[in-house]
């Protein structure tokens, strides 16, 4: 038995869902202990997401952590590695800005697959202010840039090529009406895929039937659209 899907046709068999949420795949012992260590500069809801996978240090991935920051609308300060260099990266979802030691969006495409998460930082000197909404400062970074293109590059060209956790399972997605991808590097094949997703919610299998893109690339496009708040998700009822 299937219930109707809005805003899709009632014959699709997929019910509407809340705004999709992404569970962070972060593996840091400090976050695993944070819930028992007193106040933290990370919000409790974001901290729960970040510590969910803290038992597996090998699986720490940058994109799910970035997605958790976007989902909660909370700023986050990260240390990331690029080849033999460690970079400070501050994410500000509400201001749609990021700060970093480098202009990451100016890197060659192949460089994004070499960016690795090292750790999530919180400023312990500010922990004495319980409940304060503390954001990592941008002025201390050599470069301040727009967050949207960075999210697009990380999703399409970063090391993480699987679906984000909240996009996994039996579901269909469509592009949110009115969303613009102006200013983002969208090539012809991806543009056609996005255009097709504007008409109705589609599964990855359905999209694969009429695109030259690989399945992994289609998954990356879904991740990229999700991070742009441009994806509406419908899940199938059991």
């Amino acid at each position: 038995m299937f219930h109707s899907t809005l805003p899709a046709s009632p014959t699709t068999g997929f019910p509407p869902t809340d705004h999709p949420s992404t569970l962070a795949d972060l593996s840091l012992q400090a976050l695993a202990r944070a819930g028992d260590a007193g106040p933290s500069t990370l919000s409790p809801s974001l901290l729960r997401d970040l510590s969910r996978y803290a038992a597996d240090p090998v699986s720490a991935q940058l994109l799910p952590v970035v997605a958790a920051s976007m989902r909660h609308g909370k700023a986050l300060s990260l240390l990331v590695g690029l080849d033999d260099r460690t970079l400070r990266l501050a994410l500000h979802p509400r201001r749609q800005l990021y700060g970093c030691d480098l202009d990451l969006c100016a890197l060659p495409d192949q460089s994004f697959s070499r960016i690795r998460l090292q750790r999530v930082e919180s400023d312990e000197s500010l922990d004495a202010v319980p409940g304060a909404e503390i954001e990592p400062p941008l002025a201390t970074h050599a470069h301040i840039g727009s967050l949207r293109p960075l999210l697009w590059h990380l999703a399409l060209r970063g090391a993480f090529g699987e679906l984000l956790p909240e996009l996994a399972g039996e579901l269909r997605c469509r592009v949110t009406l009115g969303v613009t991808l102006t200013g983002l590097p969208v090539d012809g094949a991806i543009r056609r895929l996005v255009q097709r997703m504007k008409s109705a919610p589609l599964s990855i299998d359905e999209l694969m039937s009429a695109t030259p893109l690989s399945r992994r690339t289609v998954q990356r496009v879904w991740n990229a659209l999700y991070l742009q708040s441009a994806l509406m998700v419908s899940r199938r009822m059991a």
Side-chain angles (χ1 to χ4, degrees), residues 40-237:
S40 169
T41 57
L42 299 176
S43 72
S45 58
L46 178 57
L47 186 61
R48 283 194 297 272
D49 266 7
L50 296 181
S51 61
R52 193 177 295 266
Y53 290 90
D56 183 7
V58 177
S59 66
Q61 294 280 354
L62 176 59
L63 194 68
V65 172
V66 171
S69 175
M70 300 303 109
R71 181 170 80 87
H72 290 278
K74 300 293 185 181
L76 208 56
S77 183
L78 312 173
L79 285 184
V80 299
L82 174 60
D83 298 329
D84 58 351
R85 183 171 182 180
T86 295
L87 305 172
R88 297 173 305 134
L89 174 61
L91 305 173
H92 287 256
R94 293 180 181 176
R95 299 167 66 182
Q96 285 296 295
L97 295 172
Y98 80 93
C100 191
D101 304 319
L102 291 178
D103 179 359
L104 295 178
C105 292
L107 293 173
D109 288 352
Q110 62 270 25
S111 296
F112 286 94
S113 65
R114 303 199 303 273
I115 299 177
R116 295 291 189 270
L117 176 66
Q118 292 183 345
R119 73 171 183 263
V120 175
E121 290 200 311
S122 63
D123 189 342
E124 294 182 0
S125 66
L126 299 176
D127 281 349
V129 189
E133 288 291 332
I134 300 166
E135 294 193 343
L138 284 171
T140 61
H141 295 274
H143 176 78
I144 299 172
S146 173
L147 189 55
R148 291 186 69 229
L150 177 62
L151 298 175
W152 191 260
H153 284 299
L154 288 175
L156 289 181
R157 301 176 177 89
F160 189 84
E162 305 303 318
L163 283 173
L164 288 165
E166 284 299 314
L167 296 179
E170 192 171 359
L171 50 77
R172 286 172 173 163
C173 294
R174 71 177 295 172
V175 172
T176 306
L177 297 179
V179 168
T180 176
L181 302 180
T182 302
L184 299 176
V186 185
D187 64 24
I190 291 178
R191 187 177 301 278
R192 288 189 293 273
L193 185 79
V194 170
Q195 190 63 36
R196 189 179 170 203
M197 291 178 62
K198 289 182 179 180
S199 59
L202 297 168
S203 68
I204 286 187
D205 287 338
E206 290 167 332
L207 289 169
M208 289 300 301
S209 67
T211 180
L213 300 172
S214 68
R215 189 179 191 88
R216 192 172 181 87
T217 299
V218 174
Q219 291 178 167
R220 287 178 175 274
V221 172
W222 274 25
N223 289 343
L225 291 170
Y226 167 69
L227 292 174
Q228 301 294 322
S229 298
L231 205 62
M232 296 179 64
V233 178
S234 297
R235 293 187 182 277
R236 187 169 185 169
M237 294 292 287

